[in-house]
Amino acid sequence: MKPQPTDPRPHILVLGAGFAGLEFCLAMRGRDDLRITLVDRQNHHLFQPLLYQVASAGLAAPEIAHPVRSVFSDQENVSVLMDEVRAIDLKERRVTLADRVVSYDYLVIGLGVKTGYFGHAEWENHAIGLKNLHDATEIRRRILLAFERAEMCEDPEEKRRLMTVAIVGGGPTGVELAGAFAELVRHVLRRDFRSIDTNEAHVVLVEAAPRLLTMYDEDLSEYTRQKLESMGVQVLTGAPVQNVREKAVELPDRTIDAENIIWAAGIEAVPLTRTLGVETDPAGRLIVETDLSLPGHPEVFAVGDIAHCIDQAGVRVPGLCPAAIQMGKHAAKVIRDDLKKRHRRKADAYPVRPQFRYFDKGSMATIGRSAAVATSAGMKFQGFLAWLMWLFIHLLFLVGFRNKVAVLLQWFYAYVRYRRGARIITGVRGDS
Amino acid sequence: MKPQPTDPRPHILVLGAGFAGLEFCLAMRGRDDLRITLVDRQNHHLFQPLLYQVASAGLAAPEIAHPVRSVFSDQENVSVLMDEVRAIDLKERRVTLADRVVSYDYLVIGLGVKTGYFGHAEWENHAIGLKNLHDATEIRRRILLAFERAEMCEDPEEKRRLMTVAIVGGGPTGVELAGAFAELVRHVLRRDFRSIDTNEAHVVLVEAAPRLLTMYDEDLSEYTRQKLESMGVQVLTGAPVQNVREKAVELPDRTIDAENIIWAAGIEAVPLTRTLGVETDPAGRLIVETDLSLPGHPEVFAVGDIAHCIDQAGVRVPGLCPAAIQMGKHAAKVIRDDLKKRHRRKADAYPVRPQFRYFDKGSMATIGRSAAVATSAGMKFQGFLAWLMWLFIHLLFLVGFRNKVAVLLQWFYAYVRYRRGARIITGVRGDS
């Protein structure tokens, strides 16, 4: 059922098979009066919230990735293309991919964000981000290799540097990474090495703001700091990064020598957004109307992290999975509504549309295997209860696949077997 | 507990953490009167018998790899080094690694074998072997990518080429790969693709000998052929490869155009063996005495696939895991024996040693998810019964770790969830 150029059905082109793009397509199930082409440069959807677990050797890469094709294997109106977006021509309503040019009636942009270095592109060479599976397996490889080298190292200073991991950015990703690395080193690697004392291993978490997890209340930030410190993490707040160079992070009052530097401090949209001739925010995100369409382009939607959206209630929609899922669903609703009212309207006139309203289900960050912080419905949680919430709610609500239960079981299984983990170092080319 | 140069205990250097090297070390548990250094260029032991499952997207790479350090985390007399062997000096009794030089009292060489191309080194560029995790993830990536490209391909001839996998070599590895690919294509990928008919996918198994699995009786070979053919595999026996070039295998009577060519036809020892000044067989394997030591070097042993061994009973020991395990154990026994008799002998004189005798536990090859062939204790098995044997005996007997049960459960779990599989394509650099 390949889309034909002569197919009379409206053609919706969806860019990106992240949470927003996937949910958009799933929300169009059964609509045989339209056809959807879903483009992603990977063949898999990535469960980003657990990416840090791959980086810290808790999970294998395939365990948090799911082939996009199999999500839609029984949804006939979706065609999946593995291809890369090169250019978007809003005027001509067509998108240039690496292998072909595709025209659309509706365009849904859900390309997500990438690691941003606050304009210091050169820092990227010294501090790796964590946005895709390659990043994650590369971090895993580098950190495990550093310990192997420390085991053989005779020079105490060099040894200390090899055993230091610096994480820049005290948001949820930075906190989760710091906790996971602390556990990896203290509980998992401790018994494996003979000549190094893994108690000397050093995980440093650096944050420019005066506290961690600034989106939460101060007491949760304080709990997080205390918990991380009890796990052996050195937490440096109010410490803006001045410079990043080869194996060193420069702060105003000190320099951290670290074999591995992980950047979890900033994101920015793909450069493509600035070429569209529409308004973007400083991070390059597309500023959308409250119906999620681009101003002046009612046939084009931006959903997920790539959208800068102030919702109907005046709330700035955060870059979280539940928000991406809600945005994907909303864009689908708007288009279904459009098509329903189509016979009543003139060509190129769009009906009045439903406005997006973000429903805050709460958010959470896990610190370790039995500690987390969470907020939901105005309530705050911390410790083991929050961790249980993380385990069940986080996993259960975020997975929108048919095989929800299978995937959940798999992750849960993978999670409980954590101590064995996926701590294999694979070839220089980072295979695994 | 780092080995010190002044440590008076005999130093045993073990090269390679495959089945033979690992079993050797495990057999020395509790012997605090000696010290062992185990060197491998990877940080993990690989469960080679299931490598074809990673290549065919049934398992994730970490599921068949186990960190070497954690195997010996409570065995104090073993130090693990992640390093690469560069040269062996038998006369000076020392081994040059990439990062250091290590002297030994006893040397155990268990470096295994690599893919061999019968002297046609240039074929390696066109036909990938399957010997390590990188090979496996690379094969997985290439085959899944070929189907993605076929889905978009307009040219029928090109499409057919993209959907063809040629496997050279009708031994156990070739048979297992052919069966696994046939199942991947027919059962797993079938529903995922829209514009290609996966029934047109083409798995070709090429063997120079007149039948598959020549080590088994003819009726098992015939069963294997029929089973593979019923699964859609084209089996070409009596078809010696004349040439391999870019995306094509040339046979005497035809040329197979295939996007992916997998080489499972030959093995050879690492080139290092030919530099030792000792006798090797045509494949470069080290010819050993019946005590597994090298002729003229009673302090050096070759174990596992790298050894060419005729055992005490005159049987040529096959390149199978059980044989490697038995050889590793035997070498340990010889050395323990030597040390026990040490006080009775003069310096540099070695006592009469126990001879190696290979105990044939049988062997088996799996064809698909419910079919296999096996021989054991003079009996032959085929079909579902043989497959059940494969599942339990194969896994249970080959895993010599403490965490046998955990690993087994994990593999079993991974095996039953096969249909979901690990079919993700990861970056050009083959990460996963």
Side-chain angles (χ1 to χ4, degrees):
Chain A
M1 232 201 62
K2 197 169 159 189
Q4 296 301 318
T6 54
D7 194 320
R9 297 176 295 171
H11 180 223
I12 306 172
L13 179 58
V14 181
L15 306 181
F19 283 102
L22 218 59
E23 281 295 326
F24 176 90
C25 295
L26 288 170
M28 290 302 194
R29 184 186 298 268
R31 293 295 305 248
D32 294 328
D33 57 325
L34 49 84
R35 63 191 177 89
I36 300 171
T37 304
L38 173 58
V39 177
D40 200 287
R41 67 192 162 137
Q42 305 288 359
N43 81 329
H44 53 267
H45 167 73
L46 182 64
F47 193 79
Q48 288 234 3
L50 286 177
L51 201 49
Y52 80 97
Q53 288 257 3
V54 174
S56 55
L59 293 175
E63 287 166 335
I64 65 160
H66 194 86
V68 177
R69 288 192 186 284
S70 76
V71 176
F72 299 105
S73 55
D74 64 356
Q75 190 175 335
E76 288 283 332
N77 63 357
V78 176
S79 297
V80 177
L81 279 189
M82 185 179 166
D83 209 335
E84 204 154 338
V85 179
R86 294 288 158 83
I88 299 175
D89 185 337
L90 295 181
K91 193 148 166 286
E92 298 294 330
R93 299 191 179 182
R94 67 186 174 206
V95 173
T96 305
L97 306 174
D99 290 343
R100 64 191 54 208
V101 175
V102 183
S103 298
Y104 61 81
D105 299 302
Y106 285 100
L107 178 66
V108 179
I109 305 173
L111 292 169
V113 288
K114 63 188 193 70
T115 304
Y117 292 84
F118 305 135
H120 294 277
E122 73 280 9
W123 293 359
E124 188 172 356
N125 301 322
H126 313 302
I128 189 170
L130 180 62
K131 271 291 163 193
N132 55 47
L133 278 183
H134 175 71
D135 292 344
T137 51
E138 185 62 19
I139 289 172
R140 179 179 76 190
R141 190 179 78 80
R142 290 188 192 176
I143 288 184
L144 293 174
L145 260 183
F147 277 84
E148 291 289 340
R149 287 171 53 202
E151 173 85 354
M152 302 189 212
C153 183
E154 314 271 330
D155 174 2
E157 200 173 321
E158 167 79 357
K159 194 171 224 169
R160 184 173 165 83
R161 189 179 61 69
L162 284 167
M163 289 169 68
T164 301
V165 180
I167 300 160
V168 181
T173 301
V175 165
E176 288 173 339
L177 278 173
F181 284 133
E183 287 186 336
L184 176 72
V185 169
R186 302 264 158 158
H187 299 295
V188 186
L189 298 184
R190 192 170 51 86
R191 285 161 44 103
D192 287 0
F193 287 89
R194 290 284 144 74
S195 88
I196 54 176
D197 178 358
T198 51
N199 286 322
E200 290 171 13
H202 204 52
V203 179
V204 191
L205 180 60
V206 175
E207 167 61 45
R211 60 187 178 95
L212 300 175
L213 301 175
T214 49
M215 70 291 285
Y216 293 129
D217 283 352
E218 279 192 34
D219 51 344
L220 291 187
S221 296
E222 187 50 33
Y223 170 80
T224 302
R225 168 196 278 270
Q226 283 171 11
K227 185 77 198 169
L228 283 175
E229 285 175 348
S230 78
M231 293 163 71
V233 176
Q234 183 181 7
V235 179
L236 300 175
T237 48
V241 170
Q242 311 284 300
N243 190 23
V244 181
R245 51 186 172 78
E246 181 78 8
K247 307 193 190 303
V249 178
E250 292 175 9
L251 304 177
D253 62 341
R254 75 185 88 188
T255 294
I256 302 165
D257 293 308
E259 177 71 12
N260 285 291
I261 304 168
I262 298 166
W263 191 261
I267 50 161
E268 60 188 31
V270 287
L272 191 78
T273 56
R274 302 190 202 263
T275 67
L276 301 186
V278 296
E279 206 183 344
T280 57
D281 73 3
R285 281 178 289 232
L286 297 163
I287 293 175
V288 295
E289 305 278 5
T290 46
D291 66 351
L292 304 180
S293 70
L294 298 191
H297 292 280
E299 78 287 1
V300 182
F301 297 80
V303 291
D305 288 359
I306 204 172
H308 177 117
C309 175
I310 310 292
D311 83 350
Q312 185 193 18
V315 172
R316 169 77 170 88
V317 182
L320 295 172
C321 288
I325 289 173
Q326 292 171 33
M327 290 168 97
K329 283 183 177 156
H330 185 82
K333 186 181 172 197
V334 169
I335 293 176
R336 285 198 310 262
D337 225 54
D338 271 14
L339 295 176
K340 197 159 65 185
K341 294 172 182 160
R342 199 183 205 182
H343 62 281
R344 288 191 243 144
R345 65 181 164 86
K346 289 174 291 183
D348 281 343
Y350 291 86
V352 173
R353 288 171 158 185
Q355 310 286 295
F356 179 61
R357 179 145 191 187
Y358 172 58
F359 174 59
D360 185 0
K361 286 181 171 172
S363 67
M364 44 185 72
T366 180
I367 306 166
R369 281 180 63 74
S370 55
V373 291
T375 59
S376 185
M379 292 181 294
K380 296 182 288 186
F381 304 91
Q382 67 185 41
F384 186 65
L385 179 66
W387 181 78
L388 276 184
M389 281 177 62
W390 177 87
L391 196 62
F392 290 102
I393 301 180
H394 197 82
L395 292 180
L396 202 66
F397 277 83
L398 290 186
V399 191
F401 304 153
R402 273 166 303 118
N403 54 352
K404 187 182 279 190
V405 178
V407 174
L408 180 70
L409 279 177
Q410 204 169 311
W411 282 331
F412 183 76
Y413 172 79
Y415 195 80
V416 291
R417 78 167 184 200
Y418 182 85
R419 288 187 197 280
R420 194 200 74 91
R423 54 186 197 289
I424 62 164
I425 300 175
T426 45
V428 262
R429 285 178 283 191
D431 50 293
S432 117
Chain B
M1 235 200 58
K2 197 170 163 191
Q4 297 300 320
T6 55
D7 194 319
R9 298 176 296 170
H11 180 221
I12 305 172
L13 178 59
V14 181
L15 306 181
F19 282 102
L22 218 58
E23 281 296 325
F24 175 90
C25 295
L26 287 169
M28 291 300 194
R29 182 186 301 269
R31 293 294 303 248
D32 293 329
D33 57 327
L34 50 83
R35 62 189 177 92
I36 300 170
T37 304
L38 174 58
V39 177
D40 200 287
R41 64 191 164 137
Q42 305 289 357
N43 81 328
H44 53 267
H45 167 72
L46 183 64
F47 193 78
Q48 286 234 5
L50 285 177
L51 202 49
Y52 81 96
Q53 287 258 1
V54 174
S56 56
L59 293 175
E63 287 166 336
I64 65 160
H66 194 87
V68 177
R69 287 193 187 284
S70 75
V71 176
F72 299 104
S73 54
D74 63 357
Q75 189 175 335
E76 289 283 333
N77 62 357
V78 176
S79 296
V80 178
L81 279 189
M82 185 178 165
D83 208 335
E84 204 154 338
V85 178
R86 292 290 157 84
I88 299 175
D89 185 338
L90 294 182
K91 194 150 167 284
E92 299 295 328
R93 298 191 182 183
R94 68 185 173 207
V95 173
T96 305
L97 306 174
D99 290 343
R100 66 191 54 209
V101 175
V102 184
S103 299
Y104 61 81
D105 299 302
Y106 284 100
L107 177 67
V108 179
I109 306 174
L111 292 169
V113 288
K114 63 188 193 69
T115 303
Y117 293 85
F118 305 135
H120 295 276
E122 71 281 9
W123 293 359
E124 188 172 357
N125 301 321
H126 313 304
I128 188 170
L130 179 62
K131 271 289 162 196
N132 54 46
L133 279 183
H134 176 70
D135 292 343
T137 52
E138 184 62 19
I139 289 173
R140 179 179 77 190
R141 191 179 76 81
R142 289 189 193 176
I143 287 184
L144 294 174
L145 259 183
F147 276 84
E148 291 288 339
R149 288 171 54 201
E151 173 85 354
M152 301 191 212
C153 181
E154 314 270 330
D155 174 2
E157 199 173 320
E158 167 80 356
K159 193 171 224 166
R160 184 173 166 83
R161 188 179 60 70
L162 284 167
M163 290 168 68
T164 301
V165 180
I167 300 159
V168 181
T173 301
V175 164
E176 287 174 340
L177 277 173
F181 285 134
E183 287 186 335
L184 176 72
V185 169
R186 303 262 158 158
H187 299 295
V188 185
L189 298 184
R190 193 169 51 85
R191 284 162 45 103
D192 287 0
F193 287 88
R194 291 284 144 74
S195 90
I196 55 175
D197 178 357
T198 51
N199 286 321
E200 288 171 14
H202 205 52
V203 178
V204 190
L205 179 60
V206 176
E207 167 60 45
R211 60 187 178 94
L212 300 174
L213 300 176
T214 49
M215 70 290 287
Y216 293 130
D217 283 351
E218 278 193 36
D219 52 344
L220 291 186
S221 296
E222 187 51 32
Y223 169 80
T224 302
R225 168 196 277 272
Q226 282 171 12
K227 186 75 198 170
L228 283 175
E229 285 176 348
S230 78
M231 293 163 73
V233 176
Q234 185 182 5
V235 179
L236 300 175
T237 48
V241 170
Q242 309 286 300
N243 189 24
V244 181
R245 50 186 171 77
E246 180 78 8
K247 304 188 191 309
V249 179
E250 291 175 11
L251 303 177
D253 62 340
R254 75 185 87 187
T255 295
I256 301 166
D257 293 308
E259 177 72 11
N260 286 292
I261 304 168
I262 298 166
W263 192 262
I267 50 161
E268 59 189 30
V270 288
L272 190 76
T273 56
R274 301 189 200 265
T275 67
L276 300 186
V278 297
E279 205 185 346
T280 57
D281 74 3
R285 282 177 289 231
L286 297 164
I287 294 174
V288 295
E289 305 279 6
T290 46
D291 65 352
L292 304 181
S293 69
L294 297 191
H297 291 278
E299 78 286 2
V300 181
F301 297 81
V303 292
D305 289 358
I306 204 171
H308 177 116
C309 175
I310 310 291
D311 82 351
Q312 184 194 20
V315 173
R316 169 77 171 87
V317 182
L320 295 173
C321 289
I325 289 173
Q326 292 172 33
M327 290 167 96
K329 282 183 177 156
H330 185 81
K333 187 180 173 200
V334 170
I335 293 175
R336 284 198 310 261
D337 226 54
D338 271 14
L339 297 176
K340 197 159 63 186
K341 295 172 182 160
R342 202 184 205 182
H343 63 281
R344 287 191 244 143
R345 64 181 164 88
K346 292 174 287 185
D348 281 343
Y350 291 86
V352 174
R353 288 172 157 184
Q355 310 287 295
F356 179 61
R357 178 142 190 191
Y358 171 57
F359 174 58
D360 184 0
K361 285 182 171 169
S363 67
M364 44 185 74
T366 180
I367 307 167
R369 282 179 63 75
S370 56
V373 291
T375 58
S376 186
M379 291 181 293
K380 297 180 288 186
F381 304 90
Q382 66 184 41
F384 186 65
L385 179 65
W387 181 78
L388 277 184
M389 282 178 59
W390 178 87
L391 196 62
F392 290 101
I393 301 181
H394 196 83
L395 291 180
L396 202 65
F397 277 84
L398 291 185
V399 192
F401 304 150
R402 274 165 303 118
N403 54 353
K404 190 183 277 193
V405 177
V407 174
L408 180 71
L409 279 177
Q410 205 169 310
W411 282 331
F412 183 75
Y413 172 80
Y415 195 81
V416 291
R417 78 169 185 200
Y418 181 86
R419 290 189 194 280
R420 194 201 73 90
R423 55 186 197 288
I424 63 164
I425 301 174
T426 44
V428 264
R429 284 177 284 190
D431 51 293
S432 117

